[in-house]
Amino acid sequence: MAAENVTMTKITYPRRIERKLVEPEPLREALINMGVHNDYTKGYTPVAEIFSDRIELTSYGGMVSGQSEEDFFSGASMPRNRELMRIFKDLDLVEQLGSGMNRILRSYDRSIFRISEHFIRVAFLLPNHQMRMIPETG
């Protein structure tokens, strides 16, 4: 996924401005969440798709039983796959349970999520003219 998250560069005076298409930290957190919260019992695997205008990550199974949308967005940790989460923690891929959602929401708002009974999808939009969004400074 990092290979597709290219760095856009704009040469300005007196400095060069660089920005990734998608903020790396929220993308990393969403990828981890996609894997550790997927419901593998039904035979579905998480899906990462790259389109010309967005990166979509889909985790199947919807929210964990007993979890509300408010719980979901507040970062209350309710891992569906506890052993997988433990492995990620042992490998230092996650630091603190429940902190990933806060990292995503620092850069993006809730509108990037689509939550249904059967899946959770996060869509990181790729601006058509990414470099136009970078303010000119001098």
Side-chain angles (χ1 to χ4, degrees), residues 10-19 131-138:
K10 185 174 187 176
I11 306 298
T12 64
Y13 181 81
R15 63 185 173 93
R16 177 171 124 158
I17 301 170
E18 294 182 348
R19 179 171 290 165
M131 296 315 292
R132 289 186 187 168
M133 297 178 62
I134 299 176
E136 296 279 345
T137 58

Side-chain angles (χ1 to χ4, degrees), residues 41-57:
T41 64
K42 296 190 174 49
Y44 298 116
T45 57
V47 176
E49 298 172 288
I50 301 172
F51 299 96
S52 62
D53 64 339
R54 70 195 180 283
I55 295 175
E56 284 188 357
L57 307 175

